[in-house]
């Protein structure tokens, strides 16, 4: 399908092409709770014949941080269907709609998730085309408004860089105090013009999709320090005193759009340096509210501008913001991040500028009990493997209340396995979680807690469990069926036959 050329100017052809996509095979895989691929449809296997040997993130994106936004992880965690658009950048941009549908066992417990993925690149482009305002076609596209603005911006940038270079050379000579003031004023104007052109270019590139939004897990404090280091020398040159304060209660790592936050901070500091008259600029960052999932953060600069700006903002706040490029950029970007922008006139001074932004906390296993249990069980499993490699023996837990039964099984197994015993079902459950055996032989009739109840306790408190073999004095056909339907992995009758037991153990571990 990638080789099909779609004439986007032909609405009817595009519509037919999109309708055809509905009938294309879709990529479907099933994942277990450890995020391992356990099943895949034929279309998915054709794309990657080794798919079943992968973990899902390894096949999709090797960056574990991406799991924070992964609809599959969210689907398992919330037990609800999760839908997300994920962009893959290769030779060309591809956009996939990923739907995660949790699957449940007969008892209603989540046992995995289905991931359904389809390419919606054409659909997204179709929707963009459909919603773009219709305008008359220009014969020569080189003279469209968009192209002219790009050309003008680039040429102005080149001229400003030449003027700034010439200006720097002139400043290297001896100057009087008045000349120094004029020089500083002219340099500020040139830099301001460069910032305006950078804003125009950046916003246009964001709108055109050339610069992608970048949601990343990173430190907000590090980003602010980076801005502070960049603007400090510029502040000294302009005669401003620039400093920042960062609330220590803000989490060390947050998930946010670095491209947009970087642009917001740059414009906020630039505007403050250009318009302030009190020569003191302090960037204040504070924690406003916090939940398990996200934090609300305030970023503020106080007493910016002058009395004339105070009066203008007090008279018509919206008009002033709309007519100032830097403030318009800040406001639009903040609102695109579901934040809030506010300018408050301060009596006798200028204005206070405050941004309120909501940022997500990184996804961690400790925030989800189920994933925490998965982590613990994987760690225990790893420890069992290391121990068995060191000793060369697998560990078997035998739950048996009769001494003669324990002695018999010990004689049968001790040469090839490490054997642990439990006198009743209650002790068996405790030793199952403390000893982490590789297999359990469970007597059914035991005091304090019988084999069925012990099995239930282990099953209820495990994401995954080791094989459990039921051991009972009589195994008639009806009882065999009942043990099998109850969930036991196998069953053996007493008195235990050594050959049968060994074959059974080898089959399961």
């Amino acid at each position: 399908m990638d080789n099909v050329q779609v004439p986007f100017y032909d609405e009817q052809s595009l519509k037919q092409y999109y309708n055809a996509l509905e009938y294309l095979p879709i990529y479907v895989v099933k994942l277990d709770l450890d995020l391992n691929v356990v099943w895949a449809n034929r279309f998915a296997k054709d794309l990657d014949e080794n798919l079943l040997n992968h973990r899902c993130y390894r096949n999709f994106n090797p960056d574990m941080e991406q799991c924070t936004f992964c609809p599959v992880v969210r689907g398992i965690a919330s037990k609800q269907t999760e839908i997300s658009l994920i962009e893959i950048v290769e030779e060309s941009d591809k956009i996939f709609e990923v739907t995660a549908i949790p699957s449940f066992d007969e008892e209603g417990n989540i046992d995995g998730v289905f991931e359904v993925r389809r390419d919606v690149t054409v659909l997204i482009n179709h929707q963009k085309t459909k919603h773009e305002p219709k305008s008359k076609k220009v014969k020569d596209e080189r003279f469209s408004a968009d192209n002219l603005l790009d050309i003008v911006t680039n040429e102005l940038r080149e001229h400003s860089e030449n003027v700034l270079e010439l200006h720097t050379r002139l400043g290297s000579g001896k100057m009087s105090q008045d000349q120094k003031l004029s020089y500083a004023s002219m340099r500020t104007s040139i830099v301001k013009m460069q910032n305006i052109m950078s804003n125009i270019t950046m916003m246009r590139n964001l709108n055109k999709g050339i610069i992608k939004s970048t949601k990343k897990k990173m430190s907000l404090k590090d980003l602010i320090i980076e801005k502070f280091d960049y603007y400090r020398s510029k502040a000294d040159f302009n005669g401003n005193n620039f400093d920042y304060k960062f609330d220590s209660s803000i989490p060390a790592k947050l998930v946010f759009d670095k491209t947009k936050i970087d642009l917001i901070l740059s414009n906020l500091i630039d505007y403050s340096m250009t318009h302030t008259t009190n020569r003191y600029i302090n960037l204040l960052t504070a924690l406003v509210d916090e939940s398990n999932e996200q934090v609300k953060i305030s970023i503020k600069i106080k007493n910016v501008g002058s009395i004339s700006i105070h009066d203008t903002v007090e008279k018509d706040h919206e008009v002033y913001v709309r007519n100032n490029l830097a403030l318009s950029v800040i406001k639009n970007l903040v609102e695109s991040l579901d934040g809030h922008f506010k300018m408050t006139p301060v009596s006798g001074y200028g204005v206070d500028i405050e941004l309120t932004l909501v940022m997500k906390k990184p996804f961690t296993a400790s925030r989800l009990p189920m994933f925490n249990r998965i982590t613990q069980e994987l760690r225990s499993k790893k420890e069992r493997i290391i121990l068995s490699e060191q000793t060369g023996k697998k560990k078997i837990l035998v739950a048996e209340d009769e001494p003669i039964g324990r002695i018999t099984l010990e004689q049968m197994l001790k040469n090839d396995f490490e054997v642990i015993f439990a006198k009743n079902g209650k002790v068996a459950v405790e030793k199952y979680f403390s000893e982490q055996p590789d297999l359990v032989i469970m007597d059914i009739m035991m005091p304090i807690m019988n084999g069925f109840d012990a099995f239930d306790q282990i099953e209820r408190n495990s994401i995954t469990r080791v094989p459990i073999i039921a051991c009972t004095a009589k195994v008639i056909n009806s009882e065999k069926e009942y043990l099998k339907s109850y969930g036991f992995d196998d069953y053996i009758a007493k008195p235990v036959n050594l050959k049968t037991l060994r074959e059974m153990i080898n089959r399961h571990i």
Side-chain angles (χ1 to χ4, degrees):
M1 293 303 295
D2 290 341
N3 296 324
V4 177
Q5 298 298 317
V6 183
F8 281 90
Y9 55 83
D10 185 341
E11 183 73 20
Q12 186 61 29
S13 298
L14 184 62
K15 188 175 180 181
Q16 289 174 357
Y17 178 64
Y18 170 60
N19 288 339
L21 288 180
E22 293 295 328
Y23 301 98
L24 287 178
I26 51 179
Y27 178 105
V28 184
V29 299
K30 184 179 179 182
L31 307 152
D32 62 18
L33 294 176
D34 298 333
L35 302 181
N36 290 309
V37 180
V38 294
W39 176 88
N41 70 343
R42 185 173 177 180
F43 182 70
K45 287 180 184 175
D46 287 344
L47 291 178
D48 183 355
E49 59 183 14
N50 297 315
L51 183 69
L52 296 183
N53 298 323
H54 290 175
R55 291 189 70 166
C56 68
Y57 67 81
R58 200 179 294 160
N59 182 57
F60 189 74
N61 193 324
D63 183 0
M64 279 295 287
E65 291 184 9
Q66 296 297 324
C67 291
T68 305
F69 307 103
C70 176
V72 174
V73 173
R74 294 286 183 187
I76 292 174
S78 65
K79 299 185 181 181
Q80 296 176 352
T81 300
E82 290 282 334
I83 301 175
S84 177
L85 290 178
I86 300 180
E87 294 185 19
I88 302 294
V89 180
E90 295 169 346
E91 293 179 2
S92 59
D93 291 350
K94 286 284 185 183
I95 303 171
F96 290 94
E97 179 186 76
V98 181
T99 306
I101 307 166
S103 62
F104 301 88
D105 60 20
E106 293 178 356
E107 296 179 1
N109 299 315
I110 186 168
D111 63 358
V113 65
F114 284 98
E115 176 193 326
V116 181
R117 193 187 312 167
R118 67 182 183 129
D119 186 348
V120 292
T121 311
V122 174
L123 170 62
I124 298 297
N125 289 337
H126 173 52
Q127 289 174 338
K128 285 181 181 176
T129 306
K130 227 166 51 169
H131 291 97
E132 281 177 0
K134 293 183 179 180
S135 58
K136 293 181 180 179
K137 290 185 179 179
V138 181
K139 288 183 180 179
D140 192 343
E141 290 185 357
R142 288 176 300 170
F143 297 106
S144 66
D146 280 352
N147 284 37
L148 280 173
L149 190 52
D150 286 337
I151 293 167
V152 170
T153 305
N154 288 332
E155 290 206 3
L156 282 174
R157 183 184 291 107
E158 287 179 14
H159 289 309
S160 68
E161 287 172 356
N162 291 335
V163 172
L164 191 59
E165 185 181 344
L166 177 61
H167 189 261
T168 303
R169 285 187 207 161
L170 292 172
S172 61
K174 291 184 178 180
M175 292 185 289
S176 65
Q177 188 61 29
D178 289 342
Q179 287 173 326
K180 286 181 181 178
L181 290 172
S182 298
Y183 174 83
S185 177
M186 190 183 298
R187 185 179 182 85
T188 301
S189 298
I190 296 169
V191 171
K192 184 179 177 182
M193 183 172 68
Q194 286 185 321
N195 290 338
I196 290 170
M197 288 184 294
S198 295
N199 262 330
I200 293 171
T201 303
M202 181 69 78
M203 290 306 296
R204 284 176 56 71
N205 287 342
L206 277 170
N207 290 335
K208 289 191 291 186
I210 295 172
I211 296 178
K212 301 292 183 186
S213 296
T214 54
K215 281 190 175 179
K216 291 183 177 179
K217 181 178 77 172
M218 60 183 301
S219 165
L220 179 63
K221 185 175 183 179
D222 287 347
L223 182 58
I224 287 176
I225 291 173
E226 182 184 309
K227 293 282 113 185
F228 171 72
D229 290 340
Y230 176 77
Y231 282 100
R232 182 169 48 183
S233 58
K234 183 178 171 183
D236 293 340
F237 184 84
N238 291 342
N240 292 318
N241 186 346
F242 179 41
D243 202 356
Y244 76 93
K245 289 183 181 177
F246 192 87
D247 190 340
S248 59
S249 60
I250 294 174
K253 296 283 185 181
L254 291 168
V255 176
F256 57 87
D257 190 326
K258 183 180 183 297
T259 303
K260 291 184 178 180
I261 299 295
D262 191 290
L263 197 55
I264 287 168
L265 290 171
S266 297
N267 277 288
L268 181 62
I269 298 169
D270 265 331
Y271 175 84
S272 302
M273 287 187 173
T274 305
H275 292 88
T276 192
T277 55
N278 63 14
R279 298 301 173 197
Y280 188 82
I281 300 166
N282 198 357
L283 184 68
L284 309 170
T285 309
L287 181 67
V288 177
D289 193 21
E290 183 175 7
S291 69
N292 288 334
E293 297 288 329
Q294 60 190 27
V295 295
K296 185 184 284 186
I297 291 169
S298 163
I299 299 175
K300 181 189 289 188
I301 295 184
K302 303 181 75 172
N303 301 336
V304 177
S306 59
I307 293 177
S308 63
I309 290 177
H310 165 277
D311 294 342
T312 306
V313 171
E314 194 170 47
K315 183 179 178 181
D316 199 331
H317 169 270
E318 292 297 327
V319 171
Y320 179 73
V321 172
R322 191 165 57 245
N323 291 337
N324 186 284
L325 179 63
L327 294 178
S328 295
V329 169
I330 295 170
K331 185 174 185 294
N332 288 330
L333 288 176
V334 168
E335 290 176 353
S336 75
L337 297 171
D338 297 323
H340 184 66
F341 170 83
K342 183 170 69 174
M343 287 186 78
T344 308
V346 180
S347 180
Y349 296 97
V351 293
D352 288 349
I353 303 177
E354 183 176 9
L355 322 173
T356 306
L357 297 166
V358 176
M359 297 180 181
K360 290 188 177 181
K361 291 182 177 179
F363 175 88
T364 58
S366 61
R367 277 172 42 205
L368 295 168
M370 182 172 63
F371 274 92
N372 204 24
R373 279 161 54 198
I374 290 174
T375 306
Q376 289 173 353
E377 290 193 19
L378 286 174
R379 190 182 297 116
S380 300
K381 188 176 181 181
K382 198 173 187 180
E383 289 170 357
R384 285 203 310 273
I385 292 170
I386 293 171
L387 184 63
S388 65
E389 285 176 352
Q390 290 173 346
T391 62
K393 292 183 178 182
K394 298 282 187 180
K395 189 186 290 187
I396 295 178
L397 170 61
V398 176
E400 170 63 71
D401 64 315
E402 293 290 340
I404 189 67
R406 291 199 297 272
I407 292 169
T408 302
L409 286 170
E410 183 177 21
Q411 292 302 314
M412 289 180 173
L413 302 173
K414 68 178 183 179
N415 291 333
D416 299 311
F417 303 98
E418 181 185 349
V419 187
I420 308 157
F421 291 99
K423 293 181 180 181
N424 56 59
K426 185 174 183 295
V427 176
V429 173
E430 292 170 356
K431 288 198 173 183
Y432 177 87
F433 291 105
S434 64
E435 297 289 343
Q436 295 294 325
D438 296 287
L439 181 137
V440 179
I441 299 173
M442 182 78 74
D443 186 21
I444 298 300
M445 304 305 294
M446 291 185 292
I448 302 177
M449 182 185 288
N450 64 38
F452 291 115
D453 291 340
F455 179 90
D456 288 341
Q457 288 285 333
I458 292 170
E459 185 95 326
R460 192 177 300 117
N461 292 285
S462 304
I463 300 296
T464 58
R465 63 166 177 79
V466 302
I468 301 179
I469 298 172
C471 186
T472 182
K474 53 178 181 175
V475 184
I476 58 177
N477 287 334
S478 60
E479 192 169 356
K480 284 180 182 179
E481 291 302 318
Y482 181 72
L483 290 169
K484 187 176 179 181
S485 64
Y486 201 87
F488 286 97
D489 298 278
D490 224 324
Y491 38 80
I492 191 166
K494 294 181 181 179
V496 176
N497 179 278
L498 176 60
K499 183 181 178 183
T500 304
L501 179 61
R502 284 186 174 278
E503 287 175 355
M504 196 173 289
I505 292 172
N506 291 334
R507 188 161 61 244
H508 290 290
I509 59 172

